[in-house]
Amino acid sequence: MPSARLLLPACLALVPLAVAATPVDYQFDPVHTQVVFNVDHNGFSRAFGRLKVREGTLRFDPDDWSKSSVQATIDLTSLDMGDAAWNKAVSASAFLDTAHGDTARYVSDAVEKRGADEGVVHGHFTLRGVTVPLDIPFRVNRIGRTIYGLHTVAGFSSSLTLDRTAFGMTSNRNSVGTTVTVWLEVEAIRGGEAPSSSKDTHDAPAQ
């Protein structure tokens, strides 16, 4: 009986260790991750474009956001302005200069929680060979299984502004704005689970 009295406290002491959350690794889902931006076009309208994330991972700890991190590579050759001539102009040396670098990259330094479902990623963004500090505010939309149980997904939304001149894009100021507004819609799949494919998207009911 004495041994039983000693065993119970020992087991109870281990309970917090067993239930403590740990950071979970996710891979960006390229099908359901969107990078959308717009910029002023000579005061007449705002031109919209879209880019794809080529690859990336994020680590998220729902109990301690400071243990989270993210890194992502954006495919600049995926640019879609809705028009071939626009695509060519924005891909040229005056702007994205994809002939000398076909990707942009973001790497976090720290993640800060600022509300129940809101936070800021502090990190560095590299574009056209120029690296600048960049803070990305974000909202956690949902973490859970998809409705048909295909994946465990973490979903986030973000919006921010960039100054294109900080990356050496200083031309055409009279016709193209220098402030670029960016929206990020991110879905990432828990590590070890296959990413979505276009076939999944087209053949399966909405998730």
PDB file of all heavy atoms in Angstrom, residues 88-103:
ATOM      1  N   LYS A  88       4.468  40.918 -68.712  1.00  0.00           N
ATOM      2  CA  LYS A  88       5.814  41.154 -69.258  1.00  0.00           C
ATOM      3  C   LYS A  88       6.415  42.426 -68.673  1.00  0.00           C
ATOM      4  O   LYS A  88       7.601  42.459 -68.308  1.00  0.00           O
ATOM      5  CB  LYS A  88       5.743  41.243 -70.781  1.00  0.00           C
ATOM      6  CG  LYS A  88       7.092  41.417 -71.443  1.00  0.00           C
ATOM      7  CD  LYS A  88       6.954  41.411 -72.970  1.00  0.00           C
ATOM      8  CE  LYS A  88       8.314  41.580 -73.647  1.00  0.00           C
ATOM      9  NZ  LYS A  88       8.178  41.577 -75.133  1.00  0.00           N
ATOM     10  N   ALA A  89       5.608  43.483 -68.569  1.00  0.00           N
ATOM     11  CA  ALA A  89       6.110  44.758 -68.062  1.00  0.00           C
ATOM     12  C   ALA A  89       6.519  44.661 -66.596  1.00  0.00           C
ATOM     13  O   ALA A  89       7.577  45.167 -66.191  1.00  0.00           O
ATOM     14  CB  ALA A  89       5.051  45.841 -68.246  1.00  0.00           C
ATOM     15  N   VAL A  90       5.703  44.005 -65.782  1.00  0.00           N
ATOM     16  CA  VAL A  90       5.995  43.922 -64.352  1.00  0.00           C
ATOM     17  C   VAL A  90       7.128  42.934 -64.064  1.00  0.00           C
ATOM     18  O   VAL A  90       7.833  43.056 -63.063  1.00  0.00           O
ATOM     19  CB  VAL A  90       4.716  43.561 -63.574  1.00  0.00           C
ATOM     20  CG1 VAL A  90       5.002  43.401 -62.087  1.00  0.00           C
ATOM     21  CG2 VAL A  90       3.653  44.636 -63.774  1.00  0.00           C
ATOM     22  N   SER A  91       7.320  41.963 -64.953  1.00  0.00           N
ATOM     23  CA  SER A  91       8.411  40.997 -64.783  1.00  0.00           C
ATOM     24  C   SER A  91       9.748  41.550 -65.234  1.00  0.00           C
ATOM     25  O   SER A  91      10.798  40.977 -64.910  1.00  0.00           O
ATOM     26  CB  SER A  91       8.111  39.718 -65.571  1.00  0.00           C
ATOM     27  OG  SER A  91       6.950  39.082 -65.090  1.00  0.00           O
ATOM     28  N   ALA A  92       9.754  42.659 -65.968  1.00  0.00           N
ATOM     29  CA  ALA A  92      10.977  43.224 -66.541  1.00  0.00           C
ATOM     30  C   ALA A  92      11.869  43.853 -65.471  1.00  0.00           C
ATOM     31  O   ALA A  92      11.511  43.945 -64.295  1.00  0.00           O
ATOM     32  CB  ALA A  92      10.607  44.246 -67.608  1.00  0.00           C
ATOM     33  N   SER A  93      13.030  44.341 -65.915  1.00  0.00           N
ATOM     34  CA  SER A  93      14.057  44.814 -64.984  1.00  0.00           C
ATOM     35  C   SER A  93      13.619  46.012 -64.150  1.00  0.00           C
ATOM     36  O   SER A  93      14.118  46.213 -63.042  1.00  0.00           O
ATOM     37  CB  SER A  93      15.325  45.174 -65.766  1.00  0.00           C
ATOM     38  OG  SER A  93      15.050  46.186 -66.732  1.00  0.00           O
ATOM     39  N   ALA A  94      12.671  46.802 -64.621  1.00  0.00           N
ATOM     40  CA  ALA A  94      12.232  47.973 -63.861  1.00  0.00           C
ATOM     41  C   ALA A  94      11.468  47.588 -62.610  1.00  0.00           C
ATOM     42  O   ALA A  94      11.414  48.370 -61.646  1.00  0.00           O
ATOM     43  CB  ALA A  94      11.368  48.869 -64.748  1.00  0.00           C
ATOM     44  N   PHE A  95      10.901  46.386 -62.620  1.00  0.00           N
ATOM     45  CA  PHE A  95      10.086  45.978 -61.486  1.00  0.00           C
ATOM     46  C   PHE A  95      10.615  44.675 -60.879  1.00  0.00           C
ATOM     47  O   PHE A  95      11.604  44.680 -60.183  1.00  0.00           O
ATOM     48  CB  PHE A  95       8.616  45.879 -61.902  1.00  0.00           C
ATOM     49  CG  PHE A  95       8.040  47.215 -62.317  1.00  0.00           C
ATOM     50  CD1 PHE A  95       7.784  47.493 -63.645  1.00  0.00           C
ATOM     51  CD2 PHE A  95       7.777  48.191 -61.367  1.00  0.00           C
ATOM     52  CE1 PHE A  95       7.271  48.729 -64.028  1.00  0.00           C
ATOM     53  CE2 PHE A  95       7.263  49.431 -61.731  1.00  0.00           C
ATOM     54  CZ  PHE A  95       7.007  49.691 -63.073  1.00  0.00           C
ATOM     55  N   LEU A  96       9.982  43.542 -61.116  1.00  0.00           N
ATOM     56  CA  LEU A  96      10.386  42.306 -60.439  1.00  0.00           C
ATOM     57  C   LEU A  96      11.718  41.756 -60.928  1.00  0.00           C
ATOM     58  O   LEU A  96      12.401  41.033 -60.204  1.00  0.00           O
ATOM     59  CB  LEU A  96       9.289  41.246 -60.601  1.00  0.00           C
ATOM     60  CG  LEU A  96       7.954  41.563 -59.933  1.00  0.00           C
ATOM     61  CD1 LEU A  96       6.973  40.413 -60.134  1.00  0.00           C
ATOM     62  CD2 LEU A  96       8.129  41.836 -58.438  1.00  0.00           C
ATOM     63  N   ASP A  97      12.076  42.062 -62.152  1.00  0.00           N
ATOM     64  CA  ASP A  97      13.373  41.638 -62.714  1.00  0.00           C
ATOM     65  C   ASP A  97      13.587  40.131 -62.573  1.00  0.00           C
ATOM     66  O   ASP A  97      14.596  39.659 -62.044  1.00  0.00           O
ATOM     67  CB  ASP A  97      14.516  42.386 -62.020  1.00  0.00           C
ATOM     68  CG  ASP A  97      15.829  42.285 -62.785  1.00  0.00           C
ATOM     69  OD1 ASP A  97      15.797  41.903 -63.977  1.00  0.00           O
ATOM     70  OD2 ASP A  97      16.884  42.576 -62.185  1.00  0.00           O
ATOM     71  N   THR A  98      12.622  39.357 -63.067  1.00  0.00           N
ATOM     72  CA  THR A  98      12.672  37.900 -62.907  1.00  0.00           C
ATOM     73  C   THR A  98      13.808  37.254 -63.687  1.00  0.00           C
ATOM     74  O   THR A  98      14.185  36.121 -63.387  1.00  0.00           O
ATOM     75  CB  THR A  98      11.339  37.264 -63.332  1.00  0.00           C
ATOM     76  OG1 THR A  98      11.051  37.622 -64.694  1.00  0.00           O
ATOM     77  CG2 THR A  98      10.203  37.738 -62.442  1.00  0.00           C
ATOM     78  N   ALA A  99      14.376  37.956 -64.662  1.00  0.00           N
ATOM     79  CA  ALA A  99      15.507  37.394 -65.413  1.00  0.00           C
ATOM     80  C   ALA A  99      16.731  37.223 -64.521  1.00  0.00           C
ATOM     81  O   ALA A  99      17.589  36.373 -64.793  1.00  0.00           O
ATOM     82  CB  ALA A  99      15.842  38.294 -66.603  1.00  0.00           C
ATOM     83  N   HIS A 100      16.823  37.997 -63.450  1.00  0.00           N
ATOM     84  CA  HIS A 100      17.980  37.917 -62.552  1.00  0.00           C
ATOM     85  C   HIS A 100      17.644  37.308 -61.193  1.00  0.00           C
ATOM     86  O   HIS A 100      18.510  37.210 -60.324  1.00  0.00           O
ATOM     87  CB  HIS A 100      18.579  39.306 -62.358  1.00  0.00           C
ATOM     88  CG  HIS A 100      19.207  39.865 -63.596  1.00  0.00           C
ATOM     89  ND1 HIS A 100      18.520  40.680 -64.465  1.00  0.00           N
ATOM     90  CD2 HIS A 100      20.448  39.696 -64.123  1.00  0.00           C
ATOM     91  CE1 HIS A 100      19.302  41.011 -65.468  1.00  0.00           C
ATOM     92  NE2 HIS A 100      20.480  40.420 -65.300  1.00  0.00           N
ATOM     93  N   GLY A 101      16.410  36.915 -61.006  1.00  0.00           N
ATOM     94  CA  GLY A 101      16.015  36.282 -59.745  1.00  0.00           C
ATOM     95  C   GLY A 101      14.545  35.946 -59.799  1.00  0.00           C
ATOM     96  O   GLY A 101      13.711  36.855 -59.864  1.00  0.00           O
ATOM     97  N   ASP A 102      14.237  34.662 -59.813  1.00  0.00           N
ATOM     98  CA  ASP A 102      12.840  34.272 -60.039  1.00  0.00           C
ATOM     99  C   ASP A 102      12.068  33.990 -58.759  1.00  0.00           C
ATOM    100  O   ASP A 102      10.942  33.498 -58.804  1.00  0.00           O
ATOM    101  CB  ASP A 102      12.760  33.064 -60.977  1.00  0.00           C
ATOM    102  CG  ASP A 102      13.413  31.818 -60.398  1.00  0.00           C
ATOM    103  OD1 ASP A 102      13.966  31.893 -59.270  1.00  0.00           O
ATOM    104  OD2 ASP A 102      13.378  30.758 -61.061  1.00  0.00           O
ATOM    105  N   THR A 103      12.644  34.319 -57.596  1.00  0.00           N
ATOM    106  CA  THR A 103      11.928  34.105 -56.339  1.00  0.00           C
ATOM    107  C   THR A 103      12.113  35.293 -55.399  1.00  0.00           C
ATOM    108  O   THR A 103      13.062  36.080 -55.532  1.00  0.00           O
ATOM    109  CB  THR A 103      12.396  32.838 -55.598  1.00  0.00           C
ATOM    110  OG1 THR A 103      13.784  32.979 -55.251  1.00  0.00           O
ATOM    111  CG2 THR A 103      12.192  31.587 -56.450  1.00  0.00           C
TER     112      THR A 103
END
